Amino acid sequence: MANVIPEHIQWFHGIDLGEGVVTPGFKSNDLLRAEADVVFSYPVKGKTVLDIGAWDGFFSFEAEKRGASRVLATDWFCWGGPGWGTQAGFNHARAALGSKVEDKEIDVPDISPETVGVFDIVLLSGVIYHVTDPLMILKRAADVTRECLIIETAVALLDVKDPAMQFLHSMPHNPDPTNFWSPNPAAVIAMLKWCGFRNVMVSEHPHNKFDDPVNPRCYFHAIK
C-alpha cells in the first residue's frame, strides 16, 4: 500500500507515492523534482532509459512518468554492496507506484552492451566522484548510450580553466571515504568528448540553491 512506509527502510530519495505520502528521503522531493526538470530537459518520451546507480529509483520512476518506453534501473553499491542503502526502497516504491521499471543488480564497471544492452538515454547521477577511475566509468556509460548521456556530479576547481580534478580521499574535510575525485567542468567535458560525444551542455544544479552552495554540483548533457 502506498500509504504504508516500512520503518526499516533507510530512504535516500524523497519519492511521492501518492495519497499524500512522500518517503522520508535524505534528498527532499522538492529538490528531486527541481533536478528532474534539469535532467529531463532532454525529452525521454518514447525513448529507452538506463539509470545507472538508481538507488531508491526516483529518476527511474520519473522517466517512466514522463513517457519513456522502457526504463532499466541498475545499482550494486547501494543494493547489494557496502553502501548504507538497500534495494528495499526501490522495491517498495515500484510496488506502490504500480511501476513497470525493470531492475538489474550490477556494478558500474560491469556495465556494457553485452550485460545491459544499449539505451537511447543513460543517466549517471552521483557516481563518478565515488570511483577511482572516472574516465573508465564514463567510457562504460558511453558504450551503452545511443543518444544522450546525462551526468550529475560534484565539481571543484571552478576557477581553473584547464581540465583538472581534485583528489578528495586524503582531504581532512571529506567525511565520506567513498569520495575520490571532484572534477572541474572542463575535465568532465574533456572526458566526455574523449568518450565520443560531439556536444556537451552544462547546467547549474538546483542543489546549489536548495542546499549547500559551498559544495557545488553540475549537470552535463552529452550528445552523440
Side-chain angles (χ1 to χ4, degrees), residues 124 126-131 134 137-138 151-153 181 183 188 191:
L124 188 66
V127 173
I128 64 171
Y129 55 90
H130 287 301
V131 298
I137 297 304
L138 288 175
I151 304 294
E152 186 269 357
T153 183
W181 295 103
V188 179
M191 289 189 290

Side-chain angles (χ1 to χ4, degrees), residues 25-40:
F26 177 81
K27 266 195 170 186
S28 72
N29 184 252
D30 285 345
L31 174 55
L32 288 167
R33 286 189 292 109
E35 285 192 58
D37 287 340
V38 178
V39 172
F40 300 116

Side-chain angles (χ1 to χ4, degrees), residues 56-65 90 93-94 97 99 101:
D56 293 330
F58 172 85
F59 293 104
S60 302
F61 303 130
E62 187 68 18
E64 180 182 54
K65 179 181 176 182
F90 174 87
R94 179 170 59 181
L97 294 169
S99 170
V101 169

Side-chain angles (χ1 to χ4, degrees), residues 68-80:
S69 60
R70 179 194 175 205
V71 182
L72 174 63
T74 69
D75 210 311
W76 172 78
F77 187 82
C78 295
W79 285 359

Side-chain angles (χ1 to χ4, degrees), residues 134-152:
L135 180 58
M136 182 269 286
I137 297 304
L138 288 175
K139 183 62 169 63
R140 289 286 187 180
D143 288 344
V144 297
T145 302
R146 185 176 291 114
E147 293 181 17
C148 179
L149 172 60
I150 304 167
I151 304 294
E152 186 269 357

Side-chain angles (χ1 to χ4, degrees), residues 103-174:
D103 66 288
K104 184 179 180 67
E105 187 174 315
I106 183 171
D107 200 4
V108 184
D110 298 323
I111 295 286
S112 71
E114 292 73 28
T115 58
V116 299
V118 177
F119 291 77
D120 298 323
I121 300 168
V122 176
L123 176 60
L124 188 66
S125 179
V127 173
I128 64 171
Y129 55 90
H130 287 301
V131 298
T132 56
D133 189 348
L135 180 58
M136 182 269 286
I137 297 304
L138 288 175
K139 183 62 169 63
R140 289 286 187 180
D143 288 344
V144 297
T145 302
R146 185 176 291 114
E147 293 181 17
C148 179
L149 172 60
I150 304 167
I151 304 294
E152 186 269 357
T153 183
V155 291
L157 307 176
L158 301 182
D159 57 338
V160 178
K161 294 183 179 180
D162 292 330
M165 291 195 291
Q166 183 181 61
F167 186 62
L168 300 172
H169 201 263
S170 61
M171 299 186 73
H173 71 270
N174 174 28

